[in-house]
Amino acid sequence: MQTLTQTLTKQAVPDSLSQLILRLADCSKDISQAVRHGALAGVLGATEQENVQGETQKKLDVITNDMLKDALKAEGNVRGLASEEEDYVVEVNKQGEFLVCFDPLDGSSNIDINSLVGTIFSILPAQDGELTEASFLQNGRQQLTAGYVLYGPSTMMALTTGQGTQLYTLNPDTNEFLLTDEAVNISKDTAEFAINMSNQRFWEAPMQTYISELLLGNIGPREKSFNMRWIAAMVGDVHRVLCRGGIFMYPTDNKNPEKPYKLRLMYEANPMALLVEQAGGKASTGYGDILDIAPEEIHQRVAVILGSANEVDACLSYHGLDYSNEPDIA
Ligand code: F6P
Ligand code: MN
């Protein structure tokens, strides 16, 4: 089996970018260890702090954020970083070529129940001149690399450098990531959906109709029965979509009119959208491709509908958009 280093070489990824990816991969191995020690290391539970988004930070949110920051500071080629757990963007190295956005521990509410969590990251090109929040506000198609590491029964990494999506599995004996799927291919059709159904009454009308018709199964207009899954960690739900297809949604809702969306664009939706598109799937807000959004703020949130191409199209058709005649992207 090929190692991560061998695959990046085969893909002719430039050395500086390869080194950064390998640095992130190494850091994720350390995070995997920290996560695995759980209660034994006293890392479970919450801190008394809140992040900029008003969410209570878990101890492991803070620990993993510091681990990634330290790793990126040690890497000479990072111009700046932005994290879910940092209020402002952080300057790293004036000579750096890359910007890194990350969610250090996605799904961290799963930590205390020993369930799936992961790290999501996105690498963008750095711009000349002073580093400000605006330097990061590039659309998702500018991403040079996107990936996540899932800390599950095995530690796995999904990665794209724009040449398809690959899956790697961490060999616990050698502590090396090995290529276990060289070209992820999300099935076009699916009979599995993922959405937090408790928000149903808060969704917009098109989503209400789409889900209610889907729930009617083989006696409804879709003439097909669906199964439902919800891991409550985007990284886990997207991983399932990459492995066996499906549609994952966190749509617009009016539960809190000041916060109509939940997931963050720069370090959740954009990297996942690129991984999904590179694997032959689709990623939309309901009204346009996630990767085409012109970002306005580093912590901005968006609606997310992603996964199996034909099912995303089916959902979009309820929103008045019919993309089914577009050519396949991957
Ligand atoms: O990071 C936000 C997040 O934890 C995602 O990982 C996950 O998909 C979602 O929120 C879970 O939301 P809810 O708490 O509504 O189930
Ligand atoms: Mn998250």
Side-chain angles (χ1 to χ4, degrees), residues 123-158:
I123 304 177
L124 292 161
Q127 315 289 316
D128 289 340
E130 202 193 335
L131 184 92
T132 63
E133 177 170 349
S135 319
F136 288 78
L137 304 180
Q138 307 175 42
N139 82 29
R141 300 207 185 275
Q142 307 302 312
Q143 293 175 100
L144 301 170
T145 296
Y148 65 74
V149 180
L150 177 69
Y151 310 111
S154 53
T155 293
M156 292 191 74
M157 178 163 63

Short mmCIF file of all heavy atoms in Angstrom, two decimals, residues 123-158:
data_model
loop_
_atom_site.label_atom_id
_atom_site.label_comp_id
_atom_site.label_asym_id
_atom_site.label_seq_id
_atom_site.Cartn_x
_atom_site.Cartn_y
_atom_site.Cartn_z
N ILE A 123 -6.70 24.44 2.86
CA ILE A 123 -5.48 25.22 2.58
C ILE A 123 -5.73 26.13 1.39
O ILE A 123 -6.17 25.67 0.32
CB ILE A 123 -4.27 24.29 2.29
CG1 ILE A 123 -4.07 23.31 3.47
CG2 ILE A 123 -3.01 25.11 2.02
CD1 ILE A 123 -2.94 22.30 3.25
N LEU A 124 -5.46 27.42 1.58
CA LEU A 124 -5.65 28.43 0.53
C LEU A 124 -4.31 29.07 0.21
O LEU A 124 -3.41 29.09 1.06
CB LEU A 124 -6.60 29.51 1.04
CG LEU A 124 -8.06 29.12 1.26
CD1 LEU A 124 -8.75 30.12 2.18
CD2 LEU A 124 -8.79 29.02 -0.07
N PRO A 125 -4.19 29.66 -0.99
CA PRO A 125 -2.94 30.39 -1.28
C PRO A 125 -2.91 31.70 -0.50
O PRO A 125 -3.94 32.36 -0.36
CB PRO A 125 -3.04 30.66 -2.79
CG PRO A 125 -4.50 30.60 -3.11
CD PRO A 125 -5.14 29.66 -2.12
N ALA A 126 -1.73 32.08 0.01
CA ALA A 126 -1.61 33.38 0.70
C ALA A 126 -1.51 34.48 -0.35
O ALA A 126 -1.05 34.26 -1.47
CB ALA A 126 -0.39 33.37 1.59
N GLN A 127 -1.98 35.67 0.02
CA GLN A 127 -1.90 36.83 -0.88
C GLN A 127 -0.69 37.67 -0.47
O GLN A 127 -0.26 37.61 0.66
CB GLN A 127 -3.16 37.69 -0.73
CG GLN A 127 -4.47 36.92 -0.70
CD GLN A 127 -4.82 36.33 -2.06
OE1 GLN A 127 -4.69 37.01 -3.06
NE2 GLN A 127 -5.22 35.07 -2.09
N ASP A 128 -0.21 38.52 -1.41
CA ASP A 128 0.86 39.46 -1.05
C ASP A 128 0.29 40.50 -0.09
O ASP A 128 -0.91 40.73 -0.05
CB ASP A 128 1.37 40.18 -2.31
CG ASP A 128 2.16 39.22 -3.19
OD1 ASP A 128 2.61 38.18 -2.67
OD2 ASP A 128 2.30 39.51 -4.39
N GLY A 129 1.18 41.13 0.65
CA GLY A 129 0.78 42.26 1.51
C GLY A 129 0.40 41.82 2.90
O GLY A 129 0.60 40.66 3.29
N GLU A 130 -0.17 42.77 3.62
CA GLU A 130 -0.50 42.56 5.03
C GLU A 130 -1.52 41.42 5.21
O GLU A 130 -2.40 41.25 4.36
CB GLU A 130 -1.15 43.87 5.52
CG GLU A 130 -1.11 44.10 7.00
CD GLU A 130 -2.05 45.25 7.38
OE1 GLU A 130 -2.32 46.10 6.50
OE2 GLU A 130 -2.52 45.26 8.51
N LEU A 131 -1.39 40.69 6.29
CA LEU A 131 -2.36 39.62 6.55
C LEU A 131 -3.53 40.19 7.34
O LEU A 131 -3.35 40.74 8.43
CB LEU A 131 -1.72 38.48 7.35
CG LEU A 131 -2.68 37.31 7.56
CD1 LEU A 131 -2.53 36.28 6.45
CD2 LEU A 131 -2.48 36.65 8.91
N THR A 132 -4.73 40.06 6.77
CA THR A 132 -5.94 40.50 7.48
C THR A 132 -6.98 39.39 7.28
O THR A 132 -6.75 38.44 6.53
CB THR A 132 -6.52 41.80 6.88
OG1 THR A 132 -6.90 41.52 5.52
CG2 THR A 132 -5.51 42.94 6.92
N GLU A 133 -8.13 39.59 7.90
CA GLU A 133 -9.21 38.62 7.70
C GLU A 133 -9.54 38.51 6.21
O GLU A 133 -9.80 37.42 5.69
CB GLU A 133 -10.46 39.05 8.50
CG GLU A 133 -11.63 38.12 8.27
CD GLU A 133 -12.81 38.38 9.22
OE1 GLU A 133 -12.66 39.13 10.19
OE2 GLU A 133 -13.88 37.80 8.95
N ALA A 134 -9.47 39.65 5.50
CA ALA A 134 -9.81 39.66 4.07
C ALA A 134 -8.92 38.73 3.26
O ALA A 134 -9.34 38.18 2.23
CB ALA A 134 -9.72 41.08 3.53
N SER A 135 -7.68 38.50 3.72
CA SER A 135 -6.77 37.62 2.98
C SER A 135 -7.36 36.21 2.85
O SER A 135 -7.06 35.48 1.91
CB SER A 135 -5.42 37.47 3.71
OG SER A 135 -4.98 38.68 4.23
N PHE A 136 -8.18 35.83 3.82
CA PHE A 136 -8.75 34.47 3.84
C PHE A 136 -10.05 34.34 3.03
O PHE A 136 -10.49 33.24 2.77
CB PHE A 136 -9.07 34.06 5.29
CG PHE A 136 -7.86 33.78 6.13
CD1 PHE A 136 -7.10 34.81 6.66
CD2 PHE A 136 -7.49 32.48 6.40
CE1 PHE A 136 -5.98 34.55 7.45
CE2 PHE A 136 -6.37 32.20 7.18
CZ PHE A 136 -5.62 33.24 7.70
N LEU A 137 -10.64 35.50 2.67
CA LEU A 137 -11.99 35.45 2.12
C LEU A 137 -11.99 35.13 0.62
O LEU A 137 -12.39 35.93 -0.22
CB LEU A 137 -12.73 36.75 2.43
CG LEU A 137 -12.78 37.09 3.93
CD1 LEU A 137 -13.51 38.38 4.19
CD2 LEU A 137 -13.41 35.93 4.73
N GLN A 138 -11.50 33.95 0.30
CA GLN A 138 -11.43 33.45 -1.08
C GLN A 138 -12.50 32.37 -1.22
O GLN A 138 -12.81 31.67 -0.26
CB GLN A 138 -10.06 32.82 -1.33
CG GLN A 138 -8.90 33.73 -0.97
CD GLN A 138 -7.55 33.02 -1.13
OE1 GLN A 138 -7.34 32.30 -2.09
NE2 GLN A 138 -6.65 33.23 -0.19
N ASN A 139 -13.05 32.25 -2.43
CA ASN A 139 -14.11 31.24 -2.54
C ASN A 139 -13.53 29.82 -2.51
O ASN A 139 -12.32 29.62 -2.67
CB ASN A 139 -15.06 31.51 -3.72
CG ASN A 139 -14.54 31.03 -5.04
OD1 ASN A 139 -13.78 30.07 -5.12
ND2 ASN A 139 -14.96 31.68 -6.10
N GLY A 140 -14.41 28.87 -2.28
CA GLY A 140 -13.98 27.50 -2.03
C GLY A 140 -13.23 26.85 -3.18
O GLY A 140 -12.50 25.88 -3.00
N ARG A 141 -13.43 27.39 -4.39
CA ARG A 141 -12.72 26.79 -5.54
C ARG A 141 -11.24 27.16 -5.53
O ARG A 141 -10.46 26.59 -6.29
CB ARG A 141 -13.38 27.20 -6.86
CG ARG A 141 -14.83 26.76 -6.94
CD ARG A 141 -15.34 26.53 -8.34
NE ARG A 141 -16.76 26.24 -8.29
CZ ARG A 141 -17.28 25.03 -8.06
NH1 ARG A 141 -16.49 23.98 -7.94
NH2 ARG A 141 -18.58 24.85 -7.98
N GLN A 142 -10.86 28.13 -4.68
CA GLN A 142 -9.44 28.50 -4.58
C GLN A 142 -8.67 27.53 -3.67
O GLN A 142 -7.44 27.63 -3.57
CB GLN A 142 -9.28 29.92 -4.00
CG GLN A 142 -10.08 31.00 -4.71
CD GLN A 142 -9.72 31.09 -6.17
OE1 GLN A 142 -8.55 31.12 -6.52
NE2 GLN A 142 -10.73 31.08 -7.02
N GLN A 143 -9.38 26.64 -2.98
CA GLN A 143 -8.68 25.75 -2.04
C GLN A 143 -7.65 24.90 -2.80
O GLN A 143 -7.96 24.28 -3.81
CB GLN A 143 -9.67 24.80 -1.35
CG GLN A 143 -10.65 25.52 -0.42
CD GLN A 143 -11.69 24.56 0.14
OE1 GLN A 143 -11.57 24.11 1.26
NE2 GLN A 143 -12.72 24.28 -0.64
N LEU A 144 -6.44 24.86 -2.26
CA LEU A 144 -5.38 24.04 -2.86
C LEU A 144 -5.50 22.61 -2.36
O LEU A 144 -5.12 21.67 -3.06
CB LEU A 144 -4.01 24.60 -2.46
CG LEU A 144 -3.75 26.06 -2.87
CD1 LEU A 144 -2.48 26.57 -2.22
CD2 LEU A 144 -3.66 26.16 -4.40
N THR A 145 -6.00 22.47 -1.16
CA THR A 145 -6.15 21.16 -0.53
C THR A 145 -7.29 21.26 0.48
O THR A 145 -7.47 22.31 1.10
CB THR A 145 -4.84 20.79 0.23
OG1 THR A 145 -3.79 20.67 -0.72
CG2 THR A 145 -4.96 19.50 1.00
N ALA A 146 -8.04 20.19 0.62
CA ALA A 146 -9.05 20.12 1.67
C ALA A 146 -9.03 18.72 2.24
O ALA A 146 -8.72 17.75 1.51
CB ALA A 146 -10.44 20.45 1.11
N GLY A 147 -9.35 18.61 3.51
CA GLY A 147 -9.34 17.27 4.08
C GLY A 147 -9.94 17.23 5.47
O GLY A 147 -10.27 18.27 6.06
N TYR A 148 -10.09 16.02 5.97
CA TYR A 148 -10.45 15.83 7.38
C TYR A 148 -9.76 14.58 7.88
O TYR A 148 -9.36 13.71 7.08
CB TYR A 148 -11.97 15.75 7.58
CG TYR A 148 -12.67 14.57 6.94
CD1 TYR A 148 -12.55 13.28 7.47
CD2 TYR A 148 -13.45 14.75 5.81
CE1 TYR A 148 -13.20 12.20 6.87
CE2 TYR A 148 -14.10 13.68 5.21
CZ TYR A 148 -13.97 12.41 5.75
OH TYR A 148 -14.59 11.35 5.16
N VAL A 149 -9.62 14.52 9.19
CA VAL A 149 -9.15 13.28 9.82
C VAL A 149 -10.24 12.88 10.81
O VAL A 149 -10.69 13.70 11.62
CB VAL A 149 -7.80 13.48 10.55
CG1 VAL A 149 -7.36 12.17 11.20
CG2 VAL A 149 -6.75 13.97 9.56
N LEU A 150 -10.70 11.66 10.66
CA LEU A 150 -11.80 11.15 11.49
C LEU A 150 -11.21 10.21 12.55
O LEU A 150 -10.50 9.26 12.22
CB LEU A 150 -12.76 10.36 10.59
CG LEU A 150 -13.93 9.67 11.25
CD1 LEU A 150 -14.94 10.70 11.78
CD2 LEU A 150 -14.64 8.76 10.24
N TYR A 151 -11.48 10.54 13.84
CA TYR A 151 -10.97 9.72 14.93
C TYR A 151 -12.06 8.72 15.32
O TYR A 151 -12.89 8.99 16.19
CB TYR A 151 -10.54 10.60 16.11
CG TYR A 151 -9.65 11.75 15.65
CD1 TYR A 151 -10.09 13.07 15.69
CD2 TYR A 151 -8.37 11.50 15.13
CE1 TYR A 151 -9.29 14.11 15.24
CE2 TYR A 151 -7.57 12.53 14.66
CZ TYR A 151 -8.04 13.84 14.72
OH TYR A 151 -7.26 14.87 14.25
N GLY A 152 -12.08 7.61 14.62
CA GLY A 152 -13.11 6.59 14.82
C GLY A 152 -12.46 5.30 15.26
O GLY A 152 -11.32 5.29 15.74
N PRO A 153 -13.14 4.16 15.07
CA PRO A 153 -12.53 2.87 15.39
C PRO A 153 -11.15 2.75 14.74
O PRO A 153 -10.22 2.21 15.32
CB PRO A 153 -13.52 1.86 14.82
CG PRO A 153 -14.83 2.57 14.85
CD PRO A 153 -14.51 4.02 14.58
N SER A 154 -11.02 3.27 13.50
CA SER A 154 -9.67 3.52 12.97
C SER A 154 -9.59 5.01 12.67
O SER A 154 -10.61 5.66 12.47
CB SER A 154 -9.36 2.66 11.74
OG SER A 154 -10.37 2.83 10.78
N THR A 155 -8.37 5.54 12.66
CA THR A 155 -8.19 6.94 12.31
C THR A 155 -8.02 7.01 10.80
O THR A 155 -7.17 6.32 10.24
CB THR A 155 -6.97 7.53 13.04
OG1 THR A 155 -7.28 7.56 14.43
CG2 THR A 155 -6.64 8.94 12.56
N MET A 156 -8.88 7.79 10.15
CA MET A 156 -8.84 7.87 8.69
C MET A 156 -8.74 9.31 8.24
O MET A 156 -9.28 10.21 8.89
CB MET A 156 -10.10 7.24 8.08
CG MET A 156 -10.15 5.74 8.29
SD MET A 156 -11.46 4.98 7.30
CE MET A 156 -10.77 5.05 5.66
N MET A 157 -8.08 9.51 7.12
CA MET A 157 -8.00 10.85 6.54
C MET A 157 -8.60 10.84 5.14
O MET A 157 -8.33 9.93 4.34
CB MET A 157 -6.54 11.30 6.46
CG MET A 157 -6.42 12.68 5.81
SD MET A 157 -4.84 13.47 6.12
CE MET A 157 -3.80 12.33 5.31
N ALA A 158 -9.45 11.83 4.86
CA ALA A 158 -9.93 12.07 3.49
C ALA A 158 -9.18 13.30 3.00
O ALA A 158 -9.05 14.28 3.75
CB ALA A 158 -11.42 12.32 3.48
#
